[in-house]
């Protein structure tokens, strides 16, 4: 039921400009909208950018450039905080089914299932030296939780 509800939200034609709830949308749908906090998830190579095999070099370059522009739109939607996220590793079968590029010599078994480190989206390295350093999800949550606690203390 949750997956079906998410699919409906992501594919809806109209995205409310300033609702009082979380909006889930595609990168395309974010054009013209802003939010205090924006999460862009799934930034692994093979998903962002998504490349169809068999394209000419010229068409691959055009697709990469277009998807870079689309990601830029999403990155510029945040007015206060932007969170970029990707899975550092994933089940190999899932990665293969999604077209995610992985580090083949890093495959290890977890509970008998092969897992592989993913390759982050090439666009992350293009953010330049001003970009914040990556942190693990756990570290980010701890820091975010501390910021929230400080905000509660200062607002009371």
């Amino acid at each position: 039921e949750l997956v079906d509800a998410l699919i409906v939200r992501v594919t809806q034609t109209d995205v409310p400009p300033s609702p009082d709830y979380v909006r889930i949308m595609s990168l395309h749908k974010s054009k013209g909208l802003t939010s205090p906090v924006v999460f862009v998830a799934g930034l692994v190579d093979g998903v962002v950018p998504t490349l169809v095999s068999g394209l000419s070099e010229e068409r691959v370059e055009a697709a990469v450039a277009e998807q870079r522009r689309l990601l830029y739109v999403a990155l510029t939607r945040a007015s206060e905080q932007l969170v970029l996220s990707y899975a550092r590793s994933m089940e190999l079968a899932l990665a293969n089914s999604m077209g995610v590029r992985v580090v083949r010599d890093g495959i290890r078994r977890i509970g008998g299932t092969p897992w592989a480190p993913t390759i982050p989206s090439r666009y992350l390295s293009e953010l330049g030296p001003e970009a914040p350093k990556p942190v693990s999800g756990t570290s980010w949550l701890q820091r975010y939780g501390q910021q929230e606690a400080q905000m509660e203390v200062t607002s009371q």
Side-chain angles (χ1 to χ4, degrees), residues 43-96:
L43 292 174
V44 290
D45 205 36
V47 174
V48 178
T50 301
L51 298 175
V52 179
S53 61
L55 294 178
S56 68
E57 187 175 325
E58 182 179 291
R59 290 186 72 135
V60 167
E61 287 179 26
V64 167
E66 175 58 27
Q67 290 181 51
R68 181 182 291 111
R69 284 188 290 275
L70 185 59
L71 179 60
Y72 176 80
V73 167
L75 299 182
T76 58
R77 304 300 89 199
S79 61
E80 296 174 24
Q81 185 175 24
L82 173 65
V83 179
L84 305 177
S85 175
Y86 72 93
R88 290 173 48 183
S89 66
M90 63 185 350
E91 197 173 319
L92 185 58
L94 177 62
N96 289 337

Side-chain angles (χ1 to χ4, degrees), residues 88-156:
R88 290 173 48 183
S89 66
M90 63 185 350
E91 197 173 319
L92 185 58
L94 177 62
N96 289 337
S97 72
M98 294 173 59
V100 172
R101 292 188 54 225
V102 298
V103 179
R104 293 284 170 191
D105 61 355
I107 297 172
R108 60 187 180 6
R109 293 198 170 272
I110 299 175
T113 303
W115 282 68
T118 62
I119 298 173
S121 172
R122 65 187 74 183
Y123 302 138
L124 293 175
S125 64
E126 295 174 3
L127 294 175
E130 312 296 310
K133 299 295 177 227
V135 296
S136 71
T138 303
S139 297
W140 182 84
L141 284 171
Q142 288 172 345
R143 187 171 60 205
Y144 180 76
Q146 289 171 353
Q147 289 172 351
E148 287 294 306
Q150 288 173 354
M151 287 173 45
E152 287 177 22
V153 169
T154 58
S155 65
Q156 291 178 357

